[in-house]
Amino acid sequence: MRLKEFIKIIEEKIPPQIAIKGDKVGLITPTNDINVEKVLLLMDYIATDQIPYDDYDLLILHHPPQLKPPIPTYVIHSNWDIIKGGACDALANKLKLKVIDTITEGLGRICETNIRLETFIEEIRRRLKAEEVRIVNFKRNLKIDKIAIVSGFGLNPKMIKKVHEKNVKVYLSGDLTQEGAILAKNLDLTLIDAGHHTTELPGLYKLGELLSQLGVEVRIMDTKTPWETIKWNP
């Protein structure tokens, strides 16, 4: 399949114009109209010889790269987070949550449930394979009727305020900061940080399923969380 045709099909299914303003999505490396047969799908571009980039015609990334990749590259980022059936819905499905609303402007999901906080955290560990979670306002026996979720980058003050305005008491995402944690403490909002990469991984595999239906060979590689946690012995 020619590159222009492949991109046209992708953009009919995941329109770039719904991305957050300023987000770098689409074809980011100028290239001729090459033939696309083999596609490599990654969360992030990592400059390493351990990933055989030259074996593929096209690299598709979820996150815009910080360095220029060695092959033609197309980015599907916040438009995939926002669109129905995309990354946020994939996260909800992985956790067996029923979506009833969005948080703001199509981003994030509010889900209906009937579970206690301690049990939900165990579900996160089991279904997302989360190695650790960070929690603000941990209330072990808190009964949850609604949960807000955002794949990846949601635990920032702006989104925390939006979730609070929706009268939701528990919010799962990644990228917790000191500022966001203090805000949540003051709002009595329980935050669960399962990690940016971990909460986006279901969406990456869902995107791979979609791309595989477009007549090309798609390989998904999990580049893992880009750091290690060292625990000191007492």
Side-chain angles (χ1 to χ4, degrees), residues 12 45 52 54 64 97-98 104 106 110 118 122 126 157 168-169 182 207:
E12 287 173 351
Y45 168 63
D54 290 340
L97 296 172
K98 179 183 177 182
T104 179
I110 295 174
E118 186 177 36
E122 176 59 26
R126 184 168 63 88
V168 177
K169 295 298 183 183
I182 294 299
L207 179 58

Side-chain angles (χ1 to χ4, degrees), residues 8-220:
K8 181 181 178 181
I9 295 172
I10 290 175
E11 294 185 350
E12 287 173 351
K13 294 181 177 296
I14 314 168
Q17 60 266 28
I18 69 171
I20 294 172
K21 185 178 180 180
D23 192 16
K24 296 180 180 179
V25 299
L27 188 66
I28 63 165
T29 51
T31 185
N32 296 325
D33 189 22
I34 59 173
N35 196 48
V36 177
E37 295 180 358
K38 298 178 68 177
V39 172
L40 177 62
L41 175 61
L42 304 178
M43 189 82 75
D44 297 278
Y45 168 63
I46 298 176
T48 173
D49 293 336
Q50 296 181 6
I51 299 178
Y53 292 105
D54 290 340
D55 291 349
Y56 299 89
D57 305 307
L58 180 68
L59 173 64
I60 294 183
L61 299 172
H62 183 52
H63 296 140
Q66 298 177 0
L67 302 175
K68 183 180 178 181
I71 61 173
T73 302
Y74 188 90
V75 174
I76 305 172
H77 191 211
S78 58
N79 46 336
W80 183 238
D81 296 321
I82 290 170
I83 197 167
K84 186 176 180 180
C88 287
D89 286 315
L91 176 59
N93 290 340
K94 191 73 175 178
L95 292 169
K96 306 298 182 184
L97 296 172
K98 179 183 177 182
V99 174
I100 58 173
D101 197 1
T102 61
I103 298 172
T104 179
E105 298 176 349
L107 181 62
R109 301 292 184 265
I110 295 174
C111 303
E112 188 177 64
T113 187
N114 182 16
I115 194 171
R116 294 193 182 277
L117 179 60
E118 186 177 36
T119 305
F120 182 58
I121 292 168
E122 176 59 26
E123 288 287 284
I124 292 168
R125 186 197 66 79
R126 184 168 63 88
R127 294 186 182 276
L128 300 184
K129 303 294 189 284
E131 295 181 0
E132 63 177 14
V133 297
R134 297 188 295 167
I135 304 173
V136 178
N137 291 324
F138 178 56
K139 303 169 185 176
R140 186 182 304 275
N141 292 317
L142 177 66
K143 187 175 180 181
I144 309 169
D145 59 353
K146 290 190 293 185
I147 296 171
I149 63 170
V150 171
S151 59
F153 63 101
L155 297 181
N156 56 74
K158 180 180 177 180
M159 289 299 295
I160 289 170
K161 289 176 183 177
K162 293 291 185 183
V163 169
H164 179 66
E165 290 167 4
K166 288 281 190 173
N167 196 30
V168 177
K169 295 298 183 183
V170 177
Y171 181 22
L172 165 68
S173 190
D175 289 353
L176 180 63
T177 66
Q178 177 83 5
E179 183 182 9
I182 294 299
L183 175 62
K185 272 193 171 295
N186 289 330
L187 295 177
D188 195 29
L189 172 62
T190 296
L191 302 183
I192 305 172
D193 180 3
H196 190 128
H197 184 88
T198 299
T199 55
E200 286 197 323
L201 204 56
L204 189 74
Y205 281 96
K206 183 67 175 180
L207 179 58
E209 290 177 11
L210 186 153
L211 296 173
S212 296
Q213 299 170 5
L214 306 184
V216 296
E217 178 185 334
V218 178
R219 181 183 178 187
I220 305 170

